[in-house]
């Protein structure tokens, strides 16, 4: 992969139409937002995908797939997982000016997870973790297995991203009965937040049901809500700003499985000030990750 990780100047982009003529943000406006994207899944096609981040003026992306103990559902061997991790780490180190790295953890294997955290976060280039695997074991973030993991991450001031969703289903049918057995919903995030009230946590995917998700985490000031990976809904971010405040929201594109049009529309549809948009699109993420980035030698201008 030979992508050079520097945002190209606006003069390199001659758009066929002027976005502002259609009520859309110009690239100059997007660059001014200093966008940090928390949700990037494009490592396998990184060189092909990143020019689109340039075009949209994205300042930094967070890859959620740098390393894991095992692959999806255990289908990837330990040797293959390690080989993938080494390739991803090499790319991360090359792209450190534009990309930050997140690792996946396995809460059913606490000691191995702690070793991975020490190897790749405490003593390596990564800045945080993502939960959500394995989903076939009854260990959500509400489980006590998470306590030593969170304590270690708190010591490192690392990013803690929690895959989260309310899935309707079950018998009898409830608003969370379809959530997979090892998959957290915002209620589980709230339980963890109550045990660690001083540790910043990020509740991912707006809890899938943003009205229920926002209400579940609302009492816990240490929890931020991430908007990514779901269909845009007019009024969703307005509601979250009203209930949580703009300083508790972060943004992700979820590329390549979601588009900039999909994800940015949530923020630009909302009735808020320029300063609030800047917080949501990057300022809040810079604030909570500044310390861990600086430990890695990456300066962060909040």
């Amino acid at each position: 992969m030979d992508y050079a990780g520097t945002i190209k100047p606006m003069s390199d982009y001659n758009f066929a139409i002027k976005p502002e003529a259609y009520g859309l943000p110009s690239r100059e406006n997007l660059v001014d937002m200093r966008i940090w994207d928390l949700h990037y899944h494009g490592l396998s096609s990184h060189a092909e995908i990143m020019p689109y981040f340039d075009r949209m003026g994205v300042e930094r992306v967070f890859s959620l797939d740098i390393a894991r103990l095992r692959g999806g559902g255990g289908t990837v061997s330990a040797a293959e997982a390690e080989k993938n991790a080494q390739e991803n780490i090499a790319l991360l180190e090359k792209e450190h000016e534009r990309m930050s790295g997140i690792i996946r953890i396995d809460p059913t294997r606490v000691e191995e997870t702690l070793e991975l955290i020490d190897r790749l976060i405490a003593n390596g280039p990564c800045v945080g973790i993502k939960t959500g695997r394995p989903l076939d074991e009854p260990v959500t973030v509400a489980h006590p297995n998470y306590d030593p993991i969170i304590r270690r991450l708190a010591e490192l001031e690392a990013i803690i991203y929690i895959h989260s969703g309310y899935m309707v289903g079950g018998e009898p049918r409830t608003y969370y009965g379809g959530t997979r057995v090892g998959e957290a919903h915002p209620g589980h995030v709230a339980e963890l937040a109550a045990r660690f009230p001083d540790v910043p946590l990020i509740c991912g995917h707006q809890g899938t049901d943003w009205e229920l998700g926002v209400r579940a985490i609302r009492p816990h000031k240490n929890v931020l809500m991430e908007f990514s990976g779901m269909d845009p809904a007019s009024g969703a971010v307005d509601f979250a700003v009203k209930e949580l405040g703009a300083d508790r929201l972060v943004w992700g594109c979820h590329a390549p499985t979601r588009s900039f049009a999909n994800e940015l529309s949530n923020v630009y549809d909302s009735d808020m000030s320029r300063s609030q948009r800047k917080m949501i699109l990057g300022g809040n993420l810079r604030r909570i990750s500044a310390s861990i980035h600086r430990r890695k030698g990456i300066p962060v201008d909040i």
Side-chain angles (χ1 to χ4, degrees):
M1 298 182 182
D2 57 2
Y3 176 77
T6 303
I7 298 179
K8 294 181 180 179
M10 284 180 281
S11 58
D12 284 11
Y13 292 91
N14 297 312
F15 297 107
I17 63 172
K18 291 187 177 297
E20 54 270 33
Y22 292 84
L24 302 173
S26 65
R27 185 171 186 272
E28 185 177 18
N29 178 278
L30 292 170
V31 170
D32 180 60
M33 289 292 107
R34 298 194 58 210
I35 299 172
W36 279 33
D37 174 16
L38 181 58
H39 212 117
Y40 174 55
H41 289 298
L43 288 183
S44 62
S45 303
H46 182 72
E48 292 76 24
I49 293 172
M50 281 304 289
Y52 293 98
F53 282 83
D54 266 347
R55 184 177 182 184
M56 301 303 291
V58 175
E59 190 172 292
R60 177 168 289 272
V61 299
F62 285 63
S63 169
L64 306 184
D65 304 302
I66 295 296
R68 64 184 71 193
L69 291 178
R70 62 183 182 189
T75 58
V76 177
S77 69
E80 188 175 355
E82 181 61 24
K83 178 176 180 291
N84 290 340
Q86 292 304 317
E87 291 174 352
N88 293 340
I89 289 167
L91 176 61
L92 174 63
E93 291 175 337
K94 176 183 177 183
E95 300 282 0
H96 68 278
E97 292 185 356
R98 290 287 304 282
M99 188 164 69
S100 298
I102 300 289
I103 62 174
R104 307 288 190 100
I105 64 169
D106 184 344
T108 67
R109 299 154 70 187
V110 174
E111 292 304 318
E112 290 173 84
T113 288
L114 291 172
E115 186 279 330
L116 189 69
I117 288 169
D118 279 346
R119 180 159 59 94
L120 293 184
I121 300 179
N123 302 304
C126 296
V127 299
I129 63 100
K130 179 184 184 292
T131 74
R133 293 180 184 272
L135 296 177
D136 56 346
E137 298 283 351
V139 182
T140 72
V141 294
H143 194 282
N145 274 20
Y146 268 94
D147 289 6
I149 296 171
I150 299 301
R151 281 195 292 268
R152 181 59 178 138
L153 292 167
E155 291 172 350
L156 299 171
E157 298 182 276
I159 292 292
I160 303 171
Y161 178 93
I162 302 169
H163 173 88
S164 175
Y166 280 126
M167 307 293 185
V168 175
E171 186 62 43
R173 195 171 178 84
T174 66
Y175 62 84
Y176 58 84
T179 306
R180 288 167 287 185
V181 65
E183 184 173 33
H185 58 61
H188 295 134
V189 178
E191 290 185 51
L192 181 67
R195 298 204 304 272
F196 293 92
D198 298 321
V199 179
L201 307 173
I202 298 173
C203 180
H205 300 300
Q206 58 259 44
T208 67
D209 186 315
W210 47 270
E211 291 178 289
L212 295 176
V214 165
R215 289 187 173 100
I217 68 166
R218 181 172 53 191
H220 304 283
K221 306 297 186 184
N222 56 319
V223 182
L224 292 86
M225 176 68 80
E226 181 226 30
F227 276 78
S228 83
M230 302 300 296
D231 292 338
S234 184
V237 173
D238 288 303
F239 177 78
V241 170
K242 177 184 176 183
E243 297 295 323
L244 303 176
D247 61 334
R248 288 179 61 186
L249 303 186
V250 295
W251 180 86
C253 180
H254 211 291
T257 55
R258 293 280 171 163
S259 70
F260 288 106
N262 185 95
E263 301 297 354
L264 285 170
S265 64
N266 265 321
V267 178
Y268 277 93
D269 170 76
S270 302
D271 183 18
M272 68 179 77
S273 68
R274 173 179 170 276
S275 63
Q276 287 175 314
R277 284 199 178 95
K278 288 194 77 168
M279 282 194 286
I280 295 168
L281 289 173
N284 295 330
L285 185 52
R286 281 191 293 279
R287 170 171 51 84
I288 66 171
S289 70
S291 180
I292 186 79
H293 276 109
R294 288 166 182 162
R295 291 187 188 192
K296 308 300 176 186
I298 300 171
V300 176
D301 176 13
I302 298 175

